[in-house]
Amino acid sequence: MTACICIVGNKNSGKTTLIERLLPELTARGRKVATIKHDAHDFEIDLAGKDTWRHRQAGSRTTIIASSSKVAMVRLIDREEPLEELLRLVDRSYDLVLIEGLRRSPLPKVLVYRPELGLAPPNVLGEIWAVVTSGRNLAIDAPHFLPDQVAELADLLEQRLLGGSARAPAWNLPALLAEAGRYHGHLCPGQVLGVRMAVAGCDHLGVADPRSSKRLIVFVETDRCGTDAIQTVTGCTLGKRTLKFVDYGKLAATFVDTETGRAVRVSALESSREAAQHFAPEESDRHQAQLRAYKALPDDELFSVEMVRVELSQDDLPGAPRSRTVCAICREGVSDGREETVGGHLLCRACAGRPYYKSGTGARAREAKHGR
Ligand SMILES: [Zn+2]
Ligand SMILES: [Zn+2]
């Protein structure tokens, strides 16, 4: 049977629009795609007064209309055709069938959800492989895509439907990219590089499940796009103290396995920008060229990877604060050994002469704070 996926969702949720977007994407990848529209009620394709309509009116139960470029058939049936019968109409030369509707079939689904409709997502049989929505994540354990993330959705469909052993890939890159794009707000070249950096780092450490194993600490060297992607892949965050920001202005990160003490630094090669241009010279949009290249180029054209040593202080590890003191000048609490001793007094870094802010009101602001 040809690979099939059902695009399901409430009425007006954007199913047809999604199919309209997926078709050119998949066709451009050399896929031959058929579509089936399932209508839960009834449809009218024979226009009143047309010849085929007149044939049917006169009692023909099967009417075929044919020309040199198209053929169509209208057959009256007494009960709904089983899915297999419909699929038999699509010949074997097709790679994929996109079915609009049939949410109660056992086939895998892409659920399109439009929060503006104010409706709950419909009940669906079969596995939901992906959710397409502009809104918040649904309580469905499947990658979520924005409506314009058609390329990423096509990646997932190709991988799962047409990629052979893609059933349980070590890293589901399309899903990770979709997630990074959602978290970051758009899928930019930085997301692709960040996701791939994180995957490369985890692979070098032999950590296959960074989010559930919670054994990684990551040092990121930039506060730009890629850092968000590293965060989504690894699950490491500033608030959990598993993400450390060192302000080097470099797209690089060091992944530390706290269980083994091993650490690997992955940094984007300067030459990867040029490699991206060479990868897709016909692409006039530089951004698109980079997106495509960074998804496809091998790791060694994108990154340099080096095993390194990272000394982690007890004061930098997750868990309850190991120390807490109060600054002798501003009286604000300081945790984790970040205080400094100046002239015999324990001071916060700001009062010790390294503030990153200027206080306009000085002492009065402090008093106001203490008064609360
Ligand atoms: Zn970005
Ligand atoms: Zn202070």
Side-chain angles (χ1 to χ4, degrees):
M1 193 171 92
T2 310
C4 308
I5 182 101
C6 297
I7 314 291
V8 300
N10 296 314
K11 194 169 160 45
N12 291 329
S13 56
K15 302 185 288 292
T16 311
T17 305
L18 180 64
I19 288 175
E20 279 178 323
R21 288 173 169 175
L22 273 172
L23 275 162
E25 179 68 34
L26 290 162
T27 309
R29 299 169 183 220
R31 303 296 186 180
K32 195 173 172 192
V33 187
T35 62
I36 295 177
K37 156 83 194 179
H38 180 260
D39 204 314
H41 309 287
D42 199 8
F43 66 91
E44 201 49 71
I45 194 165
D46 257 359
L47 294 180
K50 288 277 185 189
D51 294 346
T52 48
W53 179 84
R54 288 170 60 186
H55 293 194
R56 182 150 62 82
Q57 292 305 305
S60 167
R61 286 189 58 85
T62 294
T63 306
I64 294 174
I65 178 164
S67 76
S68 59
S69 61
K70 289 194 285 268
V71 61
M73 175 176 74
V74 177
R75 194 167 76 208
L76 298 181
I77 50 178
D78 301 320
R79 58 188 168 81
E80 190 156 345
E81 293 272 279
L83 178 61
E84 303 77 55
E85 289 299 314
L86 292 178
L87 289 171
R88 272 186 356 149
L89 299 171
V90 178
D91 73 61
R92 282 158 168 265
S93 70
Y94 285 86
D95 297 303
L96 177 64
V97 186
L98 300 176
I99 302 173
E100 183 175 337
L102 281 187
R103 63 186 171 86
R104 301 234 146 249
S105 74
L107 293 171
K109 306 287 184 302
V110 172
L111 174 67
V112 187
Y113 183 68
R114 202 160 137 210
E116 299 91 300
L117 296 177
L119 299 169
N123 282 326
V124 163
L125 289 182
E127 191 187 348
I128 296 178
W129 280 4
V131 177
V132 175
T133 180
S134 56
R136 290 191 305 157
N137 280 16
L138 303 180
I140 291 173
D141 185 19
H144 283 55
F145 297 84
L146 293 166
D148 61 0
Q149 287 187 309
V150 178
E152 289 67 40
L153 179 58
D155 284 345
L156 180 133
L157 296 182
E158 278 198 311
Q159 192 174 9
R160 292 201 66 173
L161 284 171
L162 308 166
S165 65
R167 204 141 257 289
W171 296 98
N172 190 338
L173 274 181
L176 290 175
L177 286 175
E179 206 181 334
R182 280 184 71 81
Y183 177 72
H184 183 60
H186 59 250
L187 189 77
C188 55
Q191 296 310 297
V192 183
L193 281 177
V195 164
R196 294 206 45 196
M197 279 178 96
V199 166
C202 291
D203 275 346
H204 272 83
L205 296 174
V207 176
D209 54 343
R211 281 200 281 207
S212 49
S213 63
K214 296 183 181 163
R215 51 198 267 195
L216 284 189
I217 289 183
V218 185
F219 290 77
V220 292
E221 300 181 17
T222 176
D223 53 358
R224 289 193 173 272
C225 298
T227 288
D228 279 354
I230 290 171
Q231 196 169 321
T232 49
V233 175
T234 60
C236 293
T237 70
L238 205 54
K240 286 187 246 171
R241 308 197 94 207
T242 48
L243 187 80
K244 311 287 184 190
F245 169 49
V246 280
D247 199 358
Y248 287 2
K250 292 180 175 182
L251 182 48
T254 296
F255 302 82
V256 184
D257 182 350
T258 56
E259 259 176 53
T260 63
R262 294 169 72 231
V264 63
R265 182 170 178 273
V266 184
S267 87
L269 290 169
E270 227 11 54
S271 59
S272 64
R273 291 162 163 268
E274 216 182 301
Q277 274 178 3
H278 290 305
F279 178 81
E282 77 289 357
E283 182 74 72
S284 56
D285 183 344
R286 201 170 58 96
H287 182 91
Q288 284 301 326
Q290 286 181 339
L291 276 179
R292 282 172 54 194
Y294 294 154
K295 285 183 201 171
L297 287 172
D299 275 4
D300 58 3
E301 285 191 48
L302 295 178
F303 308 125
S304 74
V305 179
E306 185 192 6
M307 296 306 291
V308 294
R309 280 173 55 91
V310 176
E311 302 290 347
L312 284 170
S313 148
Q314 283 296 312
D315 279 329
D316 292 332
L317 295 177
R322 274 121 191 126
S323 72
R324 186 169 166 81
T325 183
V326 171
C327 171
I329 294 180
C330 68
R331 309 306 301 167
E332 291 178 354
V334 181
S335 302
D336 302 306
R338 268 53 171 178
E339 68 276 10
E340 297 180 11
T341 309
V342 179
H345 297 288
L346 292 178
L347 301 184
C348 73
R349 285 180 178 170
C351 294
R354 294 197 288 125
Y356 69 89
Y357 58 90
K358 280 204 179 76
S359 167
T361 44
R364 266 192 294 132
R366 274 178 223 134
E367 276 163 26
K369 202 164 189 179
H370 286 263
R372 268 193 288 152

